Amino acid sequence: TDYLVSMTTPSPLCVTCDEERSLLVSLEREDVGTFFAGLFGQDEWDLRQTSVAGMTFEAKYAVITLRPPKSGFPSQNDPNIAINGAGTSLTVVNGDIGTNTNMVSSGSVVLDDGFRVHHYDKPQAWASPPGPEGHPIPDLIQDPNYTIPAETGAAGPFTTLAAADFDDAQCLDIIAGNPPYPGVPSNYVVDGVHVEDLDPTAGDDVTCYRPGIYDVELNGANDEFILLTPGVYFLNDGADLNSTYLIGGWTANAPGVALVFNECNPGGGGGCAFRGEAAHSTILNAGTLFNNTGGAAASPALTAGGTPVISNGISPAEVGLTLMVRKSTSPLCPVAPFEPHPNCSPPKNSTLKLSGGGSVFLAGVQYAPTDNVTFSGGSSGNGYVGQIISWTVTYSGGTSVRQVYPGTEANGVLRLDEACSGSGTNSMSHTACNP
């Protein structure tokens, strides 16, 4: 025909769409006769028109770090995300990584195809390859401001652990599934121990706790199983899980557990932090997914008033919150144009200390918007962690962590990109649209 049509994907220029999901289409007709232009010696023109169509998707963040850049150093910031050590690895399943500064890695970072590390600070601070593809973002990722439940109406406060636990006979009913309890599923086998066979009345070291306000540190003896019945736990004095097993939310599609902590600077001691880096296992809201890829997670926990503890309809919608750290109030740590206060950064604000590998299985969302979360230990196994929202996050000590975006696939938007479409408002439109 008289027309030449060309299609290029990915588009060589894409301003508002995802480059990997874009298509540039050019239509050209050569030697078109002119009328008035002939008076100036231009008898023929080549006519071209080009447009870009592309899909846009909201990022599906499995990891979000909110700490903004340091004032005056927009390209020399400390990273928000660090993967430290050749034996340390982070695998992100069905999700992206988002950081308000940058990521550094001396270990391994692997994302599924089509997902990227979105970073506000430029240029990217890790090599790609072998690391994942980076994608600069023009705006800071904002705190989603998920609602952390208030203590109103909760049982307690408990000033001793003995006041918060069930007696041995009740705990046996909880484990075995005697009415009204559903019982621990058979797939809960931890370090060779079948949890469903534990019998506290026969001397097995297992304790069952009820939800409420804890003004005493939650801890246990070596090799003790700590079982949490459904509800919200306000652990105002922290938890020390050294050499223990913490399990809660084991019933699929039924209300699970939520743990709330105060933001604190624990230093070398306990008293406020969630010290889970030396736990044998931390398994919360796994439902029947634990040791069973065909299972289903627990539903969001319910407050004492029956309100679900969820992400408030902000993506990922209707996902349960499992671990929460109340925001720092002294100092304040807002997502501002530049880092608001150096005391928000490591080693300050270090409440959540978690293990990796098969030692941790945390479904849903871990919401700690002003906390410097750390992962260490637990180098093997197939555990996973749902979405993390934190100030910073560090993976170290040879830990292996698999993080999974907990939401569902959202529909994309097909749009004509301003790079070439229409009248061509982009400064590079003439070159890009009519190369």
Side-chain angles (χ1 to χ4, degrees):
T1 71
D2 294 336
Y3 296 90
L4 175 66
V5 178
S6 66
M7 292 176 284
T8 305
T9 183
S11 170
L13 184 63
C14 187
V15 175
T16 58
C17 62
D18 184 339
E19 296 92 335
E20 296 301 318
R21 297 178 174 89
S22 64
L23 174 71
L24 181 147
V25 180
S26 294
L27 179 66
E28 178 179 352
R29 186 178 181 185
E30 297 182 340
D31 304 329
V32 178
T34 65
F35 185 71
F36 290 111
L39 299 176
F40 301 97
Q42 300 180 19
D43 298 324
E44 295 178 338
W45 281 355
D46 294 341
L47 301 182
R48 299 184 181 94
Q49 181 62 52
T50 304
S51 187
V52 173
M55 296 292 292
T56 58
F57 293 86
E58 286 189 8
K60 297 171 57 178
Y61 291 130
V63 181
I64 297 175
T65 54
L66 297 173
R67 175 192 180 193
K70 288 183 177 178
S71 178
F73 297 95
S75 295
Q76 303 178 42
N77 304 298
D78 292 331
N80 279 359
I81 302 172
I83 297 90
N84 296 331
T88 302
S89 66
L90 170 63
T91 301
V92 178
V93 179
N94 195 36
D96 300 286
I97 294 175
T99 170
N100 279 343
T101 58
N102 228 308
M103 179 182 78
V104 296
S105 174
S106 56
S108 170
V109 185
V110 178
L111 276 67
D112 286 344
D113 290 342
F115 296 97
R116 297 176 288 189
V117 179
H118 300 257
H119 56 99
Y120 180 76
D121 185 26
K122 309 173 187 62
Q124 72 180 48
W126 73 96
S128 174
E133 178 187 357
H135 181 252
I137 52 177
D139 301 303
L140 291 169
I141 302 170
Q142 296 299 311
D143 180 359
N145 288 314
Y146 294 155
T147 299
I148 296 177
E151 296 179 358
T152 304
F158 303 124
T159 56
T160 66
L161 291 181
D165 67 13
F166 292 87
D167 64 36
D168 288 346
Q170 292 171 320
C171 190
L172 177 59
D173 287 339
I174 291 168
I175 296 168
N178 295 326
Y181 306 107
V184 178
S186 59
N187 53 294
Y188 276 71
V189 182
V190 188
D191 291 345
V193 177
H194 291 255
V195 179
E196 65 175 345
D197 294 333
L198 291 172
D199 185 352
T201 65
D204 290 339
D205 199 358
V206 55
T207 309
C208 299
Y209 288 99
R210 67 190 79 233
I213 303 167
Y214 284 66
D215 288 336
V216 60
E217 186 179 63
L218 178 67
N219 54 39
N222 287 348
D223 301 326
E224 181 180 5
F225 282 80
I226 299 174
L227 305 185
L228 304 181
T229 55
V232 182
Y233 293 75
F234 300 94
L235 300 178
N236 295 329
D237 210 33
D240 188 349
L241 305 181
N242 185 38
S243 300
T244 60
Y245 301 87
L246 180 67
I247 303 174
W250 54 75
T251 306
N253 300 315
V257 298
L259 279 59
V260 180
F261 299 87
N262 291 321
E263 185 66 274
C264 64
N265 302 319
C272 57
F274 180 73
R275 303 188 62 88
E277 71 273 38
H280 287 318
S281 292
T282 303
I283 308 165
L284 300 176
N285 293 335
T288 52
L289 273 173
F290 183 68
N291 288 337
N292 175 25
T293 56
S299 302
L302 300 178
T303 66
T307 303
V309 184
I310 57 174
S311 56
N312 314 123
I314 305 172
S315 180
E318 305 304 322
V319 174
L321 306 182
T322 299
L323 299 182
M324 289 160 280
V325 180
R326 296 183 177 99
K327 297 180 184 181
S328 174
T329 57
S330 181
L332 296 175
C333 305
V335 180
F338 296 109
E339 185 175 6
H341 200 295
N343 283 345
C344 297
S345 300
K348 306 294 186 180
N349 290 9
S350 52
T351 300
L352 294 186
K353 302 174 184 294
L354 304 170
S355 61
S359 299
V360 64
F361 204 112
L362 300 172
V365 177
Q366 326 314 314
Y367 180 56
T370 64
D371 198 51
N372 298 298
V373 178
T374 59
F375 284 88
S376 60
S379 60
S380 62
N382 294 314
Y384 80 66
V385 179
Q387 184 187 55
I388 283 184
I389 302 173
S390 63
W391 196 243
T392 69
V393 60
T394 300
Y395 308 84
S396 62
T399 192
S400 176
V401 178
R402 185 168 66 106
Q403 295 203 219
V404 181
Y405 176 75
T408 56
E409 182 73 52
N411 292 328
V413 177
L414 178 64
R415 61 187 300 168
L416 296 180
D417 191 88
E418 64 177 334
C420 297
S421 304
S423 60
T425 57
N426 185 274
S427 62
M428 294 182 286
S429 62
H430 296 293
T431 302
C433 290
N434 302 305

